[in-house]
Amino acid sequence: MLSAPALAAGKTIGVTVPYFASPFWKAGLYGVETAGKEKGYTVLKGDAKDKAELQIEQIRSYIDKKVDAIIIGAADAAAVGPAVEEAIDKGIPVIALSVPPKSDRLTSFVGADNIGMGRLQGICLGRAIGGKGEVGLFAGPDEIWAKLRVTGFKNTMEADFPDIKIVAEKAGGTKDAGVAAVEWVKAHPDMHGIFTAADTMAVESINQLGATVDKIKVSTSNLNDDARAALENGKLTCASLQPAVAMGRDAAREAIAAIEGGKVLGRIEAPALLVTKEKVADYDFSKIIAPADYQP
């Protein structure tokens, strides 16, 4: 009987994600690459630089190279959909990681419990401000992950913290979050909490609030280096997390199962996790963040 590396000899998995600079995608790539190499697979990696046209080129390059599977985090779900369909038509299994391309023919999807992430933020923020008061909600971009986190947060406020009122809400990008935070604390002097959909938005809000942030509890999802520093020094109250390294490993396992005729689960939802300023110093980030010396 051949060993797993022997079975994988000459087998290749192509991976393309929105941008390598993101701590989340870097961690996901680390998970894919380590799991693939453990089984003897060659892993090709593509940085779409947040451009759909570049990601489409990468997908078509993988088709031309006749890779055995493709793992994709979509830079633009609709725009890259036709290229994904081309790969599937060529018999290449496609596994979506976190952000699926538009296709109903994917072999598998590995994603986070975004509603759960929003719920954990709600519990943390609600308790941090004492179960009553006013909060602002920065919803982030018009993306499914952000919408689901907002849904989880709002449902938690309604069910568990009826004495907390969302008095301001806005969607947008990172810079918009800082502008909104400054406007909100002026317009709502009794505001004591702000939900942000992602770490960059939390950091921008904290930076723009300056000394005012001392009376505001800020929650977020994900934890880049700046957000982690803000959590450690108490300016950020908590962050809900998705185990990106573990998700990348799961995506690689799904790809390998599809290639080798094993059992493909079809859908894997990673559990939502929470880290607070009290626990960050001793938190085990090995399933969440890539090692500092890893470069995609």
Side-chain angles (χ1 to χ4, degrees):
M1 182 176 290
L2 294 175
S3 66
L7 285 170
K11 300 289 187 181
T12 302
I13 299 172
V15 188
T16 174
V17 300
Y19 41 98
F20 286 0
S22 159
F24 171 79
W25 290 115
K26 181 179 177 180
L29 284 165
Y30 175 75
V32 171
E33 189 165 15
T34 53
K37 286 184 175 179
E38 285 169 7
K39 296 295 185 180
Y41 280 76
T42 298
V43 178
L44 307 178
K45 295 164 290 184
D47 182 354
K49 303 186 185 301
D50 218 18
K51 297 177 180 178
E53 59 271 22
L54 180 55
Q55 190 164 61
I56 291 167
E57 290 178 12
Q58 290 166 355
I59 294 167
R60 289 180 173 150
S61 171
Y62 291 153
I63 295 171
D64 291 341
K65 291 175 181 176
K66 295 181 171 58
V67 299
D68 297 283
I70 293 173
I71 296 173
I72 178 172
D76 182 316
V80 304
V84 167
E85 293 291 326
E86 289 178 30
I88 296 169
D89 287 341
K90 296 289 186 179
I92 300 172
V94 177
I95 290 80
L97 177 59
S98 187
V99 185
K102 188 175 181 181
S103 172
D104 58 4
R105 300 166 63 203
L106 299 172
T107 295
S108 188
F109 169 63
V110 179
D113 178 7
N114 284 295
I115 289 180
M117 292 173 75
R119 174 165 174 74
L120 288 179
Q121 276 199 66
I123 292 170
C124 170
L125 195 59
R127 291 174 177 171
I129 66 173
K132 60 182 179 180
E134 298 179 347
V135 299
L137 187 157
F138 193 79
D142 185 21
E143 298 283 354
I144 186 62
W145 58 265
K147 292 176 181 178
L148 291 173
R149 291 175 194 174
V150 168
T151 296
F153 179 78
K154 286 184 172 180
N155 288 348
T156 303
M157 290 295 102
E158 181 179 349
D160 299 344
F161 300 99
D163 294 327
I164 295 178
K165 183 179 181 182
I166 299 173
V167 295
E169 183 174 348
K170 187 174 182 179
T174 295
K175 294 296 183 182
D176 300 316
V179 173
V182 172
E183 291 175 349
W184 291 347
V185 296
K186 290 180 180 178
H188 304 280
D190 293 327
M191 180 179 287
H192 295 296
I194 296 177
F195 163 100
T196 59
D199 47 12
T200 56
M201 300 160 201
V203 170
E204 182 69 15
S205 298
I206 290 167
N207 289 342
Q208 293 303 316
L209 287 171
T212 311
V213 79
D214 293 338
K215 72 169 189 174
I216 302 290
K217 304 296 184 182
V218 180
S219 74
T220 197
S221 288
N222 295 341
L223 203 63
N224 63 17
D225 289 344
D226 291 336
R228 185 171 177 175
L231 191 62
E232 290 171 345
N233 65 31
K235 292 183 178 180
L236 179 65
T237 300
C238 59
S240 60
L241 307 173
Q242 48 190 328
V245 174
M247 290 164 63
R249 292 183 67 86
D250 283 339
R253 291 189 192 104
E254 290 288 272
I256 291 167
I259 294 166
E260 298 182 357
K263 182 179 180 181
V264 176
L265 297 180
R267 182 178 180 87
I268 299 174
E269 186 172 78
L273 307 170
L274 184 75
V275 60
T276 63
K277 62 182 181 182
E278 292 81 13
K279 296 182 178 180
V280 65
D282 300 316
Y283 199 87
D284 179 8
F285 287 100
S286 61
K287 293 183 178 180
I288 298 165
I289 298 172
D293 60 353
Y294 172 72
Q295 294 300 324

